[in-house]
Every structure is written in structure tokens, then in C-alpha cells.
Amino acid sequence: MTLPFAIGLMGAALAVAWPLFRTRTHMLLAQSGVALFFGVHYILEGATTGAAMNALAFAQALIAIPLGARPGFRRAYLATLPLIAVALAATWSGAASVFAAVGFALISLGRYQLTAIRFRAFLALAVPCWMLHNWTVGSVPGLIADTCTLLTSAWMLRLDFVAARRLAVRVT
């Protein structure tokens, strides 16, 4: 097993785990770990846009944690969004770059949400973009992570919807 593959598998393990967490804060902490591992994985694999987007994702996940409690962090978070375009331009390598940038933009929208269900929904929308990126750059750990993340995200979204429906029925 190569070093890039092993590091990618560590990221994949965290990618499988984050959707299982119940709170937004715990999901964001796990995602910062995913971004760290996959950032290194992509650097070692030569996938520069994926590496750049994951470097931004690491910082963004940590900045997103206090969004609900400290409104001043909204500005800091929003300041990271133009960096997606800057990183895309600086690391341009064709279709893989587009897939990574669109996937990360969707993740960024998700992290800005303050409810777990909206957060999960946006991140589930981002997974197909990352699947296309990982297919294009040949990242097997990325494809493993994407497949598992999509499945666990769908399962947790289902549980969230059922819980929300039950709560709505109790309230009315």
C-alpha cells in the first residue's frame, strides 16, 4: 500500500464517520479531519485543485463552528467563498478542477446552514461532484469515501426527516 493511498483511506474513514454525528459541531470537526487527510492525499497524487479545495475546507470547517453563536464569524466564513474561484484559477487542470470547485462550493453552502438537516442535504448534493473529481484524478480512496458518505448521508437524512415529521405531528 502506498503512502498516498493509506492517507486517503484515513480520510475515507473520517468521511464515512462524519454523517453519523448528530450535532453540526461534531460533523464540522470530523470534516476538518477529512479535509486534512484528503488535502495531503491529493498533494501526493498531484491533484492540485483537490488539494487546494481541501486546504480551504479545513479552515472553513473550523470557522463554521461558531456561526450560530457568534454572528461575527459569518463575515469570516463568507470571506472564504471568493477563495474558491482563486484556488480554481490558480490550480486549473480541466474538468477535475471544475468538479472539485463545484463540490466544494456546495459544501460551503452546506456549512453555512445552522440546522443539521440542511447541512446534510447540501453536503449530499456535493458528493456526486467529488465522485466525478475522484474518478477523473484516479483517487480510489476518494471514490470509497464518496460512496460511503453518500450512503451514510442518505441514511442520516432519512432519520432526520422521520424525526422532524414525528416532532411536527406531536406539536400539532
Side-chain angles (χ1 to χ4, degrees):
M1 179 182 313
T2 66
L3 181 62
F5 190 85
I7 291 171
L9 284 181
M10 288 188 271
L14 277 175
V16 170
W18 81 255
L20 300 174
F21 292 112
R22 290 284 183 183
T23 69
R24 184 178 169 280
T25 298
H26 290 122
M27 288 188 282
L28 287 165
L29 287 171
Q31 285 183 355
S32 68
V34 172
L36 182 65
F37 283 117
F38 271 107
V40 173
H41 167 73
Y42 291 136
I43 286 170
L44 295 173
E45 291 290 342
T48 56
T49 304
M53 296 303 161
N54 274 275
L56 287 172
F58 177 78
Q60 191 185 72
L62 297 177
I63 293 169
I65 291 171
L67 281 178
R70 299 184 61 200
F73 273 86
R74 287 186 156 328
R75 288 188 192 115
Y77 185 86
L78 292 172
T80 67
L81 299 180
L83 298 176
I84 297 170
V86 171
L88 174 64
T91 62
W92 178 257
S93 61
S97 295
V98 173
F99 299 140
V102 171
F104 182 55
L106 288 167
I107 289 170
S108 298
L109 291 172
R111 287 185 180 138
Y112 196 69
Q113 306 304 310
L114 298 180
T115 63
I117 197 164
R118 286 183 180 170
F119 177 75
R120 287 184 205 284
F122 273 101
L123 273 70
L125 290 172
V127 173
C129 296
W130 280 103
M131 287 179 124
L132 290 167
H133 170 269
N134 289 323
W135 180 267
T136 305
V137 301
S139 173
V140 173
L143 289 168
I144 292 168
D146 295 334
T147 303
C148 294
T149 299
L150 192 59
L151 293 172
T152 54
S153 292
W155 178 256
M156 294 305 291
L157 270 169
R158 181 186 171 283
L159 293 178
D160 285 347
F161 280 122
V162 167
R165 195 174 319 132
R166 283 185 185 145
L167 182 62
V169 168
R170 279 190 225 148
V171 171
T172 58

